Amino acid sequence: MIPLFLILWELIKKGYKQFNFSLFTEIAPTSMDAMLAKMSDDLIPGGILNGITGSLLILAMAILISIPVGIFTGIFLAEKKNNFYVQLIRSLTDLLQGIPSIVIGVIVYIWVVKPMHSYSALAGSVALAIMMLPMIIRSTEESVKMLPITLKEAALALGGSYTNVIFKVLLPSAFGGIFTGSLLAVSRVMGETAPLLVTALGASTINWNVAEPTSAIPLLIWEFYNDPNLSDLVWSSSLLLLLVILFINVIAKSISKKWKIQ
């Protein structure tokens, strides 16, 4: 825990001054605005609202893409143990988890950005969805496999169809593990910058159009880092991102404990 506390202390020590209401309500300032504020020894005006809204948009679409595919794939792997494709899919899932994020970003650039002739929030969400898939698939598979076989047998014996048993018995019973795995997958990709650099690109304004370039908190941190006048915002933005990820992890642990499969 010592490295975590040291990181938190460093972020709080350097980022608390800029961690204010404006951080959540105003868009990122220009380099000139920041330079003038520093010359007069004032706080840098503006915030990261465009990054917050962009992250929410990209993550929401990534969740809509990855969670249904991940859950259905996990159920398939858990239920069809003797199927020819199961071992192949499981191996490919493990391989996908080890692929560097920048490689996924470049592939999505070829698949989505070039055909659309534009960087976009949609391309960024596709990249993050691919990165989320392995964790969702494996958490779903393991959660379903942990359920007692008698649960499914009893539901089938009562006359339920196989589909109804899956959706109304097995999935609700494995909800804790599946939801926890999905939350951890979201927290894993929230701080990713590399794939968004070549897919979403970034924007200086708030954008809700999924077909246009969109900013995100990690992208803003990268932009602030490369501008000496905006470097103070790196710490407050990083502190916010870390707090959100810590909060998601705490929620995931609490849900996992509450709905633990017995």
Side-chain angles (χ1 to χ4, degrees), residues 42-220:
D42 293 330
L43 292 178
I44 298 176
I48 57 170
L49 181 59
N50 52 324
I52 294 173
T53 56
S55 289
L56 290 175
L57 178 63
I58 292 172
L59 283 172
M61 289 192 296
I63 289 170
L64 290 175
I65 295 170
S66 62
I67 287 184
V69 175
I71 289 177
F72 287 135
T73 305
I75 292 172
F76 176 78
L77 295 181
E79 289 292 304
K80 305 294 183 180
K81 299 180 179 67
N82 298 322
N83 190 284
F84 170 76
Y85 296 103
V86 166
Q87 192 57 45
L88 174 63
I89 295 172
R90 190 177 289 119
S91 299
L92 292 176
T93 301
D94 293 337
L95 180 63
L96 181 62
Q97 194 162 12
I99 294 179
S101 60
I102 185 62
V103 175
I104 293 176
V106 171
I107 296 299
V108 173
Y109 173 84
I110 297 171
W111 286 352
V112 182
V113 175
K114 292 192 72 175
M116 291 180 64
H117 304 291
S118 172
Y119 296 95
S120 63
L122 177 62
S125 65
V126 171
L128 297 190
I130 293 173
M131 296 179 63
M132 290 168 62
L133 271 177
M135 186 172 291
I136 298 173
I137 291 172
R138 296 313 296 269
S139 63
T140 302
E141 179 189 4
E142 294 303 320
S143 298
V144 173
K145 285 168 67 175
M146 287 174 64
L147 297 174
I149 188 65
T150 52
L151 187 66
K152 183 171 71 173
E153 291 175 348
L156 291 171
L158 289 172
S161 66
Y162 184 72
T163 303
N164 283 336
V165 170
I166 291 293
F167 284 101
K168 295 184 178 180
V169 178
L170 296 187
L171 277 181
S173 300
F175 170 78
I178 295 172
F179 193 70
T180 300
S182 300
L183 281 180
L184 293 176
V186 171
S187 69
R188 176 182 179 266
V189 302
M190 275 196 70
E192 288 291 343
T193 308
L196 297 182
L197 284 171
V198 292
T199 53
L201 185 63
S204 58
T205 59
I206 298 172
N207 173 50
W208 294 106
N209 189 338
V210 300
E212 293 182 358
T214 304
S215 190
I217 297 177
L219 287 176
L220 285 180

Side-chain angles (χ1 to χ4, degrees), residues 223-240:
E223 292 173 12
F224 295 155
Y225 175 79
N226 286 293
D227 189 332
N229 295 318
L230 295 168
S231 58
D232 289 347
L233 284 173
V234 169
W235 301 104
S236 54
S237 305
S238 301
L239 178 60
L240 174 62

